[in-house]
Amino acid sequence: MNVTDAVLGRRSVRAFLDKPVPRALVEEALAKASRAPSGGNVQPWKIYVVSGEPLAQFKAQVAKQLAKNPMGDAPAEYDVYPKSLKAPYRDYRYKNGEDLYGLLGIARENKFARLSWFSNNFKFFGAPMGLFCLVDRQMGPPQWSDLGMYLQTLMLLLREAGIDSCPQECWSLLHRTVRTFLEAPEELMLFCGMAIGYEDRAAVINRLRTDRAPLEEFCRFIG
Ligand SMILES: Cc1cc2nc3c(=O)[nH]c(=O)nc-3n(C[C@H](O)[C@H](O)[C@H](O)COP(=O)(O)O)c2cc1C
């Protein structure tokens, strides 16, 4: 597999097989991914990986927490999207949601069905492994962008090892529950989670192929 294969082959997978992921493969990918660049080489990523019995306990705890408070652990620590997302970003986001729920046959008006499907996020979509990426609260936008470099490098290396993933900002809604479970120090803030496992190819949701704006829309050559 070359880099292009890994880039084009990576997709957000939202249904996984009940098949464990060899820890050694993930450990290797996590270690290699730390070759990702970061401004000043500060390497701001802090990663927690959960699987096996602790993951089962965590999911049970999350289900209980969501039953008590479906809105999650308010107040949120960061806005997943700007408060009034402008065009064209808003349109891309809208289309993404319509494509995803359209594939599942869930109409826009059926908020209940949409929400109940969304709650699969909080089971890591059935993946046998979940990862959380945290960052020191001292860090700002440049270091948060470094987290993205780490996470994409990791997802590409996982692809190389035949492993699928889905990054998940939804966990920010449960930042307190997650941090308590991880026993992470107060100085660390949760950025996102990531489901890690093997794609269930029979699942309809995994047929989703997302769009991208053409090059001319986001890039200008000068000179
Ligand atoms: C930081 C980040 C957070 C995301 N959070 C979620 C999430 O909470 N739930 C989800 O289903 N997808 C999530 N996604 C997946 C995006 O929806 C997906 O990357 C986008 O639609 C493009 O599709 P692709 O990953 O299949 O190429 C997230 C992606 C990123 C990069």
Coordinates of all heavy atoms in Angstrom, one line a residue, residues 29-37 45 47 131 133 145-155:
A29 N 1.3 1.4 15.2 CA 0.7 2.6 14.5 C 0.8 3.8 15.3 O 1.1 4.9 14.9 CB -0.7 2.3 14.0
L30 N 0.4 3.7 16.6 CA 0.4 4.9 17.5 C 1.8 5.4 17.7 O 2.0 6.7 17.7 CB -0.1 4.4 18.9 CG -1.6 4.2 19.0 CD1 -1.9 3.3 20.3 CD2 -2.4 5.5 19.1
A31 N 2.8 4.5 17.8 CA 4.2 5.0 17.9 C 4.7 5.6 16.7 O 5.2 6.8 16.7 CB 5.1 3.8 18.3
K32 N 4.4 5.0 15.5 CA 4.9 5.6 14.2 C 4.2 6.9 14.0 O 4.8 7.8 13.4 CB 4.5 4.6 13.1 CG 5.5 3.5 12.9 CD 5.1 2.8 11.6 CE 5.7 1.4 11.4 NZ 5.0 0.6 10.4
A33 N 2.9 7.0 14.3 CA 2.2 8.3 14.1 C 2.8 9.5 14.8 O 2.6 10.6 14.4 CB 0.7 8.1 14.4
S34 N 3.6 9.2 15.8 CA 4.2 10.3 16.5 C 5.3 11.0 15.7 O 5.9 12.0 16.1 CB 4.7 9.9 17.9 OG 5.9 9.1 17.8
R35 N 5.6 10.4 14.5 CA 6.5 11.1 13.6 C 5.8 12.3 12.9 O 6.4 13.0 12.1 CB 7.0 10.1 12.5 CG 7.9 9.0 13.0 CD 9.0 9.4 13.9 NE 9.9 10.4 13.2 CZ 10.9 11.0 13.8 NH1 11.2 10.8 15.1 NH2 11.6 11.9 13.2
A36 N 4.5 12.4 13.1 CA 3.7 13.5 12.6 C 4.4 14.8 13.0 O 4.9 14.9 14.2 CB 2.3 13.5 13.1
P37 N 4.4 15.9 12.2 CA 5.0 17.1 12.6 C 4.1 17.9 13.6 O 2.9 17.7 13.6 CB 5.1 17.9 11.3 CG 3.9 17.4 10.5 CD 3.8 15.9 10.9
W45 N -0.2 15.8 21.6 CA -1.2 14.8 21.7 C -1.0 13.9 22.9 O 0.1 13.5 23.2 CB -1.2 13.9 20.4 CG 0.2 13.6 19.9 CD1 1.1 12.7 20.4 CD2 0.9 14.3 18.9 NE1 2.3 12.7 19.7 CE2 2.2 13.7 18.7 CE3 0.6 15.4 18.0 CZ2 3.2 14.1 17.8 CZ3 1.6 15.8 17.1 CH2 2.8 15.2 17.0
I47 N -2.9 10.5 24.3 CA -3.8 9.4 23.8 C -4.1 8.4 24.8 O -3.2 7.9 25.5 CB -3.1 8.7 22.6 CG1 -2.7 9.8 21.5 CG2 -4.0 7.7 22.0 CD1 -3.8 10.5 20.8
L131 N -10.4 5.0 21.2 CA -9.2 5.9 21.5 C -9.8 7.3 21.9 O -10.8 7.7 21.4 CB -8.3 5.9 20.3 CG -7.2 6.9 20.2 CD1 -6.1 6.3 19.3 CD2 -7.5 8.2 19.7
C133 N -8.3 11.3 22.4 CA -7.2 12.3 22.2 C -7.5 13.5 23.0 O -8.5 14.1 22.9 CB -7.1 12.6 20.7 SG -5.8 13.9 20.4
S145 N -4.2 22.0 15.9 CA -4.0 21.5 14.5 C -3.0 20.4 14.5 O -3.1 19.5 13.6 CB -3.6 22.7 13.6 OG -2.3 22.8 13.5
D146 N -2.0 20.4 15.4 CA -1.0 19.3 15.4 C -1.7 18.0 15.8 O -1.3 16.9 15.4 CB 0.0 19.6 16.5 CG 0.9 20.8 16.2 OD1 1.0 21.2 15.0 OD2 1.5 21.4 17.1
L147 N -2.8 18.1 16.6 CA -3.5 16.9 17.0 C -4.1 16.2 15.7 O -4.1 15.0 15.6 CB -4.7 17.2 17.9 CG -4.4 17.9 19.2 CD1 -5.7 18.1 20.1 CD2 -3.4 17.1 20.1
G148 N -4.6 17.1 14.8 CA -5.1 16.6 13.5 C -4.1 15.9 12.7 O -4.4 14.9 12.1
M149 N -2.9 16.4 12.7 CA -1.8 15.8 12.0 C -1.5 14.4 12.5 O -1.3 13.4 11.8 CB -0.5 16.6 12.0 CG -0.8 18.0 11.5 SD 0.6 18.7 10.6 CE 0.1 20.4 10.6
Y150 N -1.5 14.3 13.9 CA -1.2 13.1 14.5 C -2.4 12.1 14.2 O -2.1 10.9 13.8 CB -1.1 13.2 16.0 CG -0.9 11.9 16.7 CD1 0.4 11.3 16.8 CD2 -2.0 11.1 17.2 CE1 0.6 10.1 17.4 CE2 -1.8 9.9 17.7 CZ -0.5 9.3 17.8 OH -0.3 8.1 18.3
L151 N -3.6 12.5 14.3 CA -4.7 11.6 14.1 C -4.8 11.1 12.7 O -5.1 9.9 12.5 CB -6.0 12.3 14.6 CG -6.1 12.6 16.1 CD1 -7.3 13.5 16.5 CD2 -6.1 11.3 16.9
Q152 N -4.6 12.0 11.7 CA -4.7 11.5 10.3 C -3.5 10.6 10.0 O -3.7 9.5 9.4 CB -4.7 12.7 9.4 CG -4.4 12.4 7.9 CD -5.6 11.7 7.2 OE1 -6.5 11.1 7.8 NE2 -5.7 11.7 5.9
T153 N -2.4 10.9 10.5 CA -1.2 10.0 10.3 C -1.6 8.6 10.9 O -1.3 7.5 10.3 CB 0.1 10.5 11.0 OG1 0.3 11.9 10.5 CG2 1.3 9.7 10.6
L154 N -2.2 8.6 12.1 CA -2.5 7.4 12.8 C -3.6 6.6 11.9 O -3.4 5.4 11.7 CB -3.1 7.7 14.1 CG -3.7 6.5 14.9 CD1 -2.7 5.4 15.2 CD2 -4.4 6.9 16.2
M155 N -4.6 7.3 11.4 CA -5.6 6.6 10.6 C -5.1 6.0 9.4 O -5.5 4.9 8.9 CB -6.8 7.5 10.4 CG -7.6 7.9 11.6 SD -9.1 8.8 11.3 CE -8.5 10.4 11.0

